[in-house]
Amino acid sequence: MANVAIIGAQWGDEGKGKIVDLFTHDADVIVRYQGGNNAGHTLVVNGKKTVLHLVPSGALHAEKLCVIGNGVVVDPEVLIDEIRALKAQGHLANDEQIRISEQAHVIMPYHKLIDQARERLRGEGMIGTTGRGIGPAYEDKIARVGIRFVDLLEEDTFREKLERNIQEKNFYLKAILKEKALDFDQIHDSYCQFRDQLKGYVTNTGLLLDQKIRAGKRVLFEGAQGTLLDVDHGTYPYVTSSSTITGGACSGSGVGPQHIQQVIGISKAYTTRVGSGPFPTELHGPEGETLRREGAEFGATTGRSRRCGWFDAVGVRHAVRMNGMTGIALTKLDVLTGFKKIPICTAYRYEGKTIDEFPASSKVMQGAKPVYEEMDGWDQTLDNVRNFSDLPLSAQKYVKRIEEVIGSEIILVSVGPGREQTILLKNPFEK
Ligand code: IMP
């Protein structure tokens, strides 16, 4: 019996929603440990689409406990709306099903305002953030001025912290960002209402998880974004502000590393990215358009169209090593149907040198050119394939070659958005 972490191996949007939902059947507890409502996980169940931003994907299964860990930054208004929408669909009948860490930080209106104003001022050099206040909320956490749920719950602590923060942020907003000042009373009143609606969910989730693990319950750690957006190991500064990797699952949930036995990376059979930043295999012509159209590559959170390109083994290899991945779920293989040739990027070229490892330098990464190995494509639709051996031979070879160049076993291949459109080769929970 294993506890499993599911982590994006690329720049996010790898199809984690579907895979987490699939493995949720084998888990008792599902934990979000980083990020916030910058994430968007699309689940398609019985043809019905549900997009979750904050609530862990287990919410669609009545008996699964959903934990929002201490490493998550929570916009309370968004969480309340999401819970309300899920309840309206008949989910979350039992309020005990969702638990929020008392140590999770709260996203405040000034975080969103600062995020958006900074992006406007950056102009060409913008990061392309989701504008949800994620970065500024994590900044406050690290600067030790953030407001946690436990602070929000204590009336005097909340008032004191908010007063101090509003004073500082208003100065910054007006003098530096040329924005209007925010009103203390308005924010205080609305956040007191949010507190009243959410306080029943707030608890010591680290302790709760420990109790569940001791009781033999199986935990699924649900990553958001992806390894290449990790604040340390991604394409800095074009990254998100949290630790998206396995290590982040421990610090962001308060669970020790010995309790995570399996780490499953999710990777598309090609590559996408939203927002700015280097992307060596990006396709700017008709092939990129085809991937976008066939893969419906539009953001679940912001609706932005995703940049598309060929599979980048340098990035995924880096993710395999950085996370200690024990297996990879390869998603959206069906989208590649119809291409005569499918290149795999196995290395980069920069100033006459071949680079096999993911470079730390933003300059090198921006100038890196992909070294491709061409694989044969296939024409058959894969939508109804349920066994690996029923895949066209060239699709099998493509998957096997990816396995070799990234140095990790592929344990699942996804051939469509539906739960049933899956070729499961190994179940990590049954290790
Ligand atoms: P932030 O997380 O809103 O600060 O955005 C920082 C970068 O991460 C931007 O390039 C975003 O487009 C990207 N990003 C954030 N969340 C996601 C996600 O869930 N999927 C893909 N990219 C994301």
Side-chain angles (χ1 to χ4, degrees), residues 39-252:
H41 289 175
T42 308
L43 309 172
V44 181
V45 183
N46 300 330
K48 196 160 152 251
K49 199 164 130 177
T50 304
V51 184
L52 299 175
H53 299 285
L54 268 170
V55 173
S57 307
L60 303 191
H61 308 262
E63 71 289 5
K64 314 283 175 186
L65 175 66
C66 296
V67 173
I68 298 179
N70 57 277
V72 178
V73 286
V74 179
D75 185 327
E77 195 172 6
V78 172
L79 181 57
I80 290 166
D81 280 350
E82 206 161 293
I83 292 174
R84 191 180 296 134
L86 283 164
K87 279 181 182 282
Q89 287 178 29
H91 302 295
L92 302 181
N94 177 1
D95 282 339
E96 300 265 314
Q97 203 191 333
I98 294 198
R99 300 288 90 184
I100 307 168
S101 167
E102 55 191 0
Q103 291 159 295
H105 281 246
V106 181
I107 296 182
M108 305 298 295
Y110 42 81
H111 293 139
K112 291 182 260 189
L113 207 57
I114 290 171
D115 192 1
Q116 291 159 16
R118 273 195 200 146
E119 283 286 272
R120 271 197 299 277
L121 290 177
R122 279 189 190 116
E124 289 278 286
M126 76 196 303
I127 292 170
T129 72
T130 57
R132 306 285 154 97
I134 308 297
Y138 278 115
E139 283 172 36
D140 277 5
K141 170 175 175 169
I142 302 303
R144 295 162 294 187
V145 297
I147 296 174
R148 302 166 301 162
F149 272 91
V150 67
D151 305 320
L152 183 63
L153 257 49
E154 293 169 7
E155 172 54 34
D156 47 348
T157 311
F158 176 53
R159 174 171 280 278
E160 195 185 306
K161 285 196 148 197
L162 185 64
E163 265 169 3
R164 204 172 43 221
N165 282 356
I166 292 270
Q167 203 178 19
E168 240 179 58
K169 304 297 180 192
N170 274 348
F171 177 75
Y172 179 63
L173 280 166
K174 284 193 294 182
I176 312 284
L177 300 179
K178 311 294 175 213
E179 291 287 325
K180 284 202 194 105
L182 289 165
D183 179 57
F184 171 87
D185 288 327
Q186 208 180 347
I187 297 176
H188 180 263
D189 291 353
S190 54
Y191 273 68
C192 285
Q193 284 177 31
F194 299 152
R195 172 188 64 208
D196 293 342
Q197 292 178 69
L198 291 176
K199 66 182 176 205
Y201 298 105
V202 178
T203 191
N204 180 344
T205 51
L207 180 65
L208 177 67
L209 287 171
D210 187 61
Q211 289 162 349
K212 295 288 174 195
I213 291 170
R214 281 174 196 279
K217 302 290 180 200
R218 288 168 301 178
V219 182
L220 191 161
F221 298 86
E222 175 181 2
Q225 290 82 49
T227 303
L228 306 184
L229 286 172
D230 181 272
V231 68
D232 286 285
H233 303 288
T235 43
Y236 192 87
Y238 298 99
V239 291
T240 193
S241 300
S242 61
S243 189
T244 60
I245 61 169
T246 324
C250 295
S251 60

